[in-house]
Amino acid sequence: MDYFNAFWVGGLICALVQILLEKTKLLPGRVMVLLVCVGAVISFFGWYEPFMEYAGAGASVPLLGYGNILMKGVKEAVDESGFIGLFQGGFKTGAVGCSAALVFGYVASLVFMPKPKK
């Protein structure tokens, strides 16, 4: 049942985003930022953990999950460092995902040797 819940929740998120892209004039970059912000807001209210327990990877893999991770880092850093934690918390928790994206993107560029369009 865990796989089923992950599949339908993740699919619903993707379908809603696709509808948003097709029915509005929002660009993909703005929709991605919107997803991260929505994930952070849901996390702020404490609703993301129960949502993630129910949906598993269907909730943690999309960009909503990245917003949740950033908000968790900010909460922990504020508890540790106070006000300055607002600025350093997201960097600490988001660094792993950004670093992985850079490294894997670089490796993929070496493997597939992309060529510029002419």
Side-chain angles (χ1 to χ4, degrees), residues 35-71:
L35 285 171
V36 172
C37 291
V38 167
V41 169
I42 292 171
S43 177
F44 175 77
F45 288 114
W47 301 335
Y48 205 87
E49 290 302 319
F51 176 55
M52 201 162 60
E53 286 178 18
Y54 175 76
S60 62
V61 172
L63 284 171
L64 292 172
Y66 190 66
N68 176 46
I69 289 171
L70 290 176
M71 183 55 78

Side-chain angles (χ1 to χ4, degrees), residues 30-108:
R30 291 184 179 173
V31 173
M32 290 174 19
V33 169
L34 179 68
L35 285 171
V36 172
C37 291
V38 167
V41 169
I42 292 171
S43 177
F44 175 77
F45 288 114
W47 301 335
Y48 205 87
E49 290 302 319
F51 176 55
M52 201 162 60
E53 286 178 18
Y54 175 76
S60 62
V61 172
L63 284 171
L64 292 172
Y66 190 66
N68 176 46
I69 289 171
L70 290 176
M71 183 55 78
K72 271 188 190 176
V74 168
K75 284 180 183 178
E76 291 171 5
V78 166
D79 290 341
E80 288 177 14
S81 306
F83 180 73
I84 196 72
L86 286 172
F87 304 104
Q88 66 188 18
F91 288 115
K92 285 182 181 178
T93 57
V96 174
C98 290
S99 298
L102 288 171
V103 168
F104 291 129
Y106 179 69
V107 169

Side-chain angles (χ1 to χ4, degrees), residues 13-30:
I13 292 169
C14 292
L16 291 174
V17 168
Q18 189 64 40
I19 291 169
L20 185 66
L21 283 169
E22 291 186 16
K23 297 295 181 185
T24 66
K25 293 183 180 183
L26 289 174
L27 298 174
R30 291 184 179 173

Side-chain angles (χ1 to χ4, degrees), residues 1-18:
M1 199 63 176
D2 290 339
Y3 294 121
F4 179 75
N5 288 338
F7 181 77
W8 82 262
V9 170
L12 180 66
I13 292 169
C14 292
L16 291 174
V17 168
Q18 189 64 40

